[in-house]
Amino acid sequence: MIGFFGEGFSIDFASYTYLSKKVVTDMPDNGSEPPEGSEPGIAYHGTGELVLRLVRGYLLPYKLKLTGAVVCMVLAAASQPLLAWLMEPVVRDIFINRDETMLVLVPLAIMFIMVIGGGANFGQSVLMNWVGLRIVADLQARTFSHVLGLDLAFFRRASTGKLIANLTSDSYLIRQATSSTLTSLVKDLLTVVFLVMLMFYENWRLALVVFFVFPLAAWPISILGQRMRRVVATTQGEIGALTNLLAETFQGVRHVKAYSMEAHEAQRAEKIIDNLFILYMRATRTRALTTPMMEALGGLAIAVVIWYGGSQVIAGEADPGAFFALFTALLLAYRPIRSIANLNSTLQEGLAAAQRVFSVLDETNQVIEVDGARALKVRDGTVSFNDVKFGYAPGVRALRGITLEVLAGQTVALVGPSGAGKSTLLNLIPRFYDVEMGRICIDSQDIRSVTIASLRSAIALVSQDVVLFDDTIKANIAYGRASATEAEIIEAARSAAAHSFVTRLPLGYETVVGERGTRLSGGERQRIAIARALLKDAPILLLDEATASLDAESEREIQDALSTLKKGRTTLVIAHRLATVRSADRIYVLDDGKVVENGSHLELVALEGLYRRLYALQFEQYSG
C-alpha cells in the first residue's frame, strides 16, 4: 500500500494499490487535439487511430468467430427483403387472383425464411456477444497487467478510482460499442441495402423518394455523436472521482467518525452524484434526440410513399402487389436505419472510453532495464551510495549528493527530521525510482546494470503501513513465495513471534484476515509482515518505521522479532524514535537531502549536533 511520508513514500512489496492516470473530462469534437488547459502527458487519439487500434489489437485475433457472425448477419439481413418480396404474391396471387396453390406455398416460404432468419439472428447475437465479452476480458487483463508493471512515478500522480473506472465501466462501453458497431455495419447496413434494392426493383421512382429522405439525418446525427463523446468523457471522469471518494471514505471511516465529518463526506459525495445525474440526463437527452428525428423522417417517407404510390395504383399505373412489397420493405427498413442512426452515439461512447484506457496502456516506465542486464550476484550484501542526487520533480532535489556505505551484515540507521530524504533513499535501493546522478551499488554492482527481478528478489522490506490481503494468514505469509511449505511458513511465524497468537485463532493459519488485515491488531499485522520477510530470506533488509505506530509493549515484541530478522543480513533502518536505533552499527543523520552527521549513537551524542538535539527532544518528550 502506498503511503506518503513527506519526502517520498515507501511501499510494501506485498501490498500494491493500483492507480490510474487522471483522464481529461472534456474532449474536442474531432477527438484528436487536447482541449485548452487539459492535463499534460495524456495520449490523444483521433477516431480513425482509435478504431484501427481496437480492430488490430482486439478484434482480429478472433477473426474466425467474427467470420461466423458475419455469415449469420448476411443470412439475417437477406431474410428481411425476402419477406417483403413475398408480399407481392400475397396481394396479387392470394387476395386478387385467389390462387389456392399459392395460399399453401407462400405461408410455407414465409415460415422457412423466418426460421432461417431467427437462427441466423441467434448465431450472430451469441458470437458477437462472445467477441465483445472477450474484448472486455482482454482489455481488463492487459490494462491490469500493464499497470502492475509501471514504476512508482506513475503511482505517485495517479488515482485509484479512475483506474477502477478504466477496468470496469470503460471496458463495458468499449464492448457495447464494438458489438453494436459491427452488428450495425454488417447486419443492419446489409438489411437496408437489400431492402433498398428491392424497392428499386419494384418501383424505382418511389424508391428514389425514400433514398433521398433518410440521408437528411446524417448531419444532425453526426453533431449528436460528437456531443455524446464529450458528455461520456466527462461522465467517466466523474465516475472515477466518485469511486476514489468512496474508497478513501470507507478506508478512513474511523477518522471520518472521529472528527465528525460524516456530513462533510456526504456532501462531497452528493455533489459528485448530482454532477453525474446532470451528465446522465444530458447523455439521455442527446441519445433520445435521435428517435424523434428518425420518427419524423420515417413518417415523411411513409406519407410520401402512400400518397404517391397510392395515386399510381388508383390511376392503374402501378401493380398493387408491387406497391405493398415496396411498402413492406420500407417498414422493415425503419428499424435497421434507426439502429444505424444510433450507431454514432454508441460508437462515440466507446471511443471516449477507449481513449481513456489506451492513455493508461500508453504509459511507459521511467525505470527500465538496460540491454544486456544481468542477474544480481549477492556475495556479501554491501550497499553503497556514491554522490547520489535525486528529485521527484524537475529542479527540486530530495537528495543532494548522498554518500554512505552499509557493510555486509551491518545494521545502519537513517535518522533526521521529516522531509530530510530518508524514505527517498530507501526507495532508490529496489529501484522504485532511478537516481539522477551518482550510483548505488550492491557488492560493487551498479543496480542499474542488473535485472530488476533479481535486484528485488535480494531485498525484503517491512514498513509501518502493512496491508494484508483478504486471504488466510498462511497465504499472506507465503505471499511472494508460493512454493513455501507449511513447515517453512510456521517456522517463519515462530521467528516473527506470530505463531502463538495465530494458533489461538479458531482456524489458525487458515484464518482469513479481512480487508487490509482489519481482523488483526496492528502488532499482529506487523508480525505477519515480518514473517513474510523472514520467509523471503533476502540478504538485504529495509525497515521503514516498522514499529512507529505500535504501543510500547507491542514495539518491544516486534523489536525482538526484528532482531531475529536482522541476523546475518545487511539492514538499513529508518526510525523517528531514536531509542530504537541506539544499537545500530552506524547512524547517518540526514537533513535537507544531505548527510550532516554519521557515527555510532555515543559518538553522535558527543558531537552535540542535530542528532543530539533530536535525541534530547525525544528524551524530554517521553520522560516528561
Side-chain angles (χ1 to χ4, degrees):
M1 177 71 179
I2 295 174
F4 289 86
F5 295 100
E7 75 276 16
F9 56 98
S10 61
I11 181 169
D12 189 321
F13 279 114
S15 313
Y16 288 104
T17 295
Y18 310 117
L19 307 174
S20 75
K21 172 189 282 294
K22 287 181 68 179
V23 179
V24 174
T25 56
D26 197 8
M27 286 185 293
D29 289 354
N30 61 12
S32 61
E33 294 294 329
E36 184 179 352
S38 63
E39 182 183 355
I42 296 180
Y44 288 86
H45 304 270
T47 298
E49 183 185 349
L50 285 169
V51 171
L52 192 61
R53 187 168 177 179
L54 278 170
V55 170
R56 285 179 175 175
Y58 300 93
L59 277 174
L60 287 184
Y62 308 110
K63 53 183 175 291
L64 189 60
K65 282 194 167 53
L66 281 172
T67 302
V70 168
V71 171
C72 290
M73 290 179 196
V74 171
L75 291 174
S79 67
Q80 299 300 302
L82 286 174
L83 288 174
W85 177 73
L86 285 173
M87 290 301 102
E88 183 175 351
V90 167
V91 173
R92 184 186 62 240
D93 298 331
I94 297 177
F95 291 105
I96 296 178
N97 297 332
R98 293 181 171 81
D99 188 332
E100 294 184 0
T101 302
M102 296 301 291
L103 184 62
V104 176
L105 294 178
V106 170
L108 288 175
I110 291 174
M111 185 168 60
F112 176 77
I113 292 170
M114 293 191 71
V115 168
I116 297 298
N121 274 311
F122 171 80
Q124 69 88 18
S125 178
V126 170
L127 289 171
M128 285 309 304
N129 274 286
W130 187 95
V131 172
L133 291 171
R134 190 65 257 171
I135 288 172
V136 170
D138 290 346
L139 267 174
Q140 289 174 330
R142 191 172 299 182
T143 304
F144 187 72
S145 177
H146 180 75
V147 170
L148 287 185
L150 294 174
D151 52 43
L152 292 194
F154 170 78
F155 291 96
R156 187 176 175 84
R157 66 178 183 267
S159 161
T160 307
K162 288 182 173 61
L163 182 58
I164 293 174
N166 290 149
L167 289 169
T168 53
S169 56
D170 281 341
S171 298
Y172 172 77
L173 287 174
I174 293 172
R175 181 186 75 84
Q176 289 288 94
T178 303
S179 299
S180 299
T181 300
L182 285 174
T183 301
S184 289
L185 285 177
V186 180
K187 178 190 167 187
D188 293 333
L189 189 59
L190 281 177
T191 300
V192 172
V193 169
F194 290 157
L195 288 170
V196 168
M197 289 171 61
L198 177 63
M199 293 179 202
F200 275 94
Y201 171 76
E202 296 293 353
N203 190 320
W204 65 271
R205 293 185 182 87
L206 277 177
L208 280 176
V209 173
V210 177
F211 189 77
F212 285 109
V213 167
F214 282 108
L216 295 175
W219 180 75
I221 287 172
S222 175
I223 298 298
L224 292 177
Q226 294 171 0
R227 184 188 302 177
M228 178 63 73
R229 184 166 178 176
R230 295 195 299 270
V231 170
V232 169
T234 308
T235 302
Q236 293 303 100
E238 288 293 305
I239 290 173
L242 179 61
T243 306
N244 201 51
L245 172 63
L246 295 177
E248 288 179 343
T249 304
F250 293 151
Q251 289 176 4
V253 68
R254 290 179 63 198
H255 296 282
V256 173
K257 291 184 175 296
Y259 289 92
S260 301
M261 293 296 286
E262 293 93 338
H264 171 72
E265 296 300 335
Q267 288 174 358
R268 288 176 64 199
E270 185 177 352
K271 182 178 179 180
I272 299 177
I273 291 169
D274 285 343
N275 288 341
L276 280 171
F277 171 78
I278 293 170
L279 290 167
Y280 281 134
M281 284 307 303
R282 190 179 301 168
T284 299
R285 287 193 299 270
T286 302
R287 192 181 294 108
L289 277 173
T290 305
T291 300
M293 284 195 305
M294 295 307 301
E295 294 285 348
L297 290 170
L300 176 63
I302 290 171
V304 170
V305 166
I306 292 176
W307 173 78
Y308 183 68
S311 63
Q312 284 190 320
V313 170
I314 292 172
E317 298 176 1
D319 178 64
F323 170 76
F324 274 101
L326 185 147
F327 188 69
T328 303
L330 175 62
L331 294 178
L332 290 175
Y334 176 72
R335 187 198 60 77
I337 288 176
R338 188 172 62 181
S339 295
I340 294 171
N342 290 325
L343 171 63
N344 195 38
S345 295
T346 305
L347 178 62
Q348 295 302 330
E349 289 179 12
L351 291 178
Q355 179 160 306
R356 287 166 52 89
V357 174
F358 289 152
S359 292
V360 175
L361 287 172
D362 289 340
E363 285 284 346
T364 57
N365 278 324
Q366 296 179 11
V367 178
I368 57 175
E369 289 184 357
V370 298
D371 293 336
R374 59 190 184 279
L376 175 69
K377 295 179 180 179
V378 181
R379 296 182 298 274
D380 302 314
T382 297
V383 180
S384 59
F385 289 75
N386 302 304
D387 195 25
V388 170
K389 297 176 183 177
F390 173 79
Y392 291 104
V396 181
R397 283 276 166 80
L399 300 178
R400 303 170 183 272
I402 298 290
T403 298
L404 61 85
E405 188 172 44
V406 188
L407 296 177
Q410 277 192 343
T411 295
V412 168
L414 302 176
V415 302
S418 295
K422 303 182 299 296
S423 291
T424 300
L425 201 66
L426 213 66
N427 286 329
L428 292 176
I429 299 174
R431 289 191 71 191
F432 292 156
Y433 300 94
D434 268 342
V435 299
E436 293 177 3
M437 298 178 64
R439 299 172 66 208
I440 300 175
C441 296
I442 296 177
D443 289 335
S444 301
Q445 300 165 83
D446 191 326
I447 61 173
R448 289 172 296 185
S449 68
V450 302
T451 61
I452 294 175
S454 67
L455 171 66
R456 292 178 182 172
S457 68
I459 299 170
L461 183 147
V462 181
S463 69
Q464 64 170 330
D465 189 17
V466 177
V467 178
L468 303 181
F469 294 101
D470 192 8
D471 205 337
T472 64
I473 290 176
K474 181 170 71 175
N476 274 285
I477 293 175
Y479 189 80
R481 190 182 161 192
S483 61
T485 65
E486 187 168 353
E488 289 173 326
I489 292 170
I490 293 173
E491 181 58 32
R494 287 185 191 277
S495 300
H499 182 71
S500 58
F501 88 79
V502 172
T503 54
R504 289 195 297 269
L505 297 172
L507 297 178
Y509 285 88
E510 296 300 326
T511 301
V512 176
V513 301
E515 183 181 2
R516 295 171 56 87
T518 51
R519 295 175 189 170
L520 303 179
S521 69
E524 289 169 343
R525 289 197 297 270
Q526 198 67 278
R527 276 174 268 185
I528 296 298
I530 293 171
R532 183 161 55 202
L534 278 164
L535 189 64
K536 188 176 184 181
D537 196 24
I540 298 170
L541 176 63
L542 308 180
L543 301 177
D544 189 357
E545 298 285 359
T547 62
S549 60
L550 303 177
D551 57 72
E553 182 178 354
S554 296
E555 182 179 6
R556 188 164 49 249
E557 294 176 349
I558 296 300
Q559 286 292 355
D560 292 339
L562 288 174
S563 297
T564 302
L565 179 58
K566 289 188 286 187
K567 286 179 181 177
R569 292 179 171 86
T570 302
T571 305
L572 197 60
V573 182
I574 293 177
H576 281 126
R577 296 184 190 176
L578 302 186
T580 64
V581 297
R582 286 182 297 184
S583 61
D585 297 300
R586 197 162 195 82
I587 299 172
Y588 286 87
V589 184
L590 274 65
D591 189 24
D592 194 26
K594 297 178 289 187
V595 175
V596 294
E597 298 170 359
N598 75 89
S600 67
H601 169 71
L602 294 177
E603 290 171 344
L604 290 173
V605 170
L607 283 177
E608 299 188 5
L610 177 59
Y611 181 85
R612 177 163 179 169
R613 291 198 301 273
L614 293 173
Y615 186 75
L617 184 64
Q618 289 190 11
F619 181 79
E620 291 175 5
Q621 177 184 351
Y622 290 116
S623 61

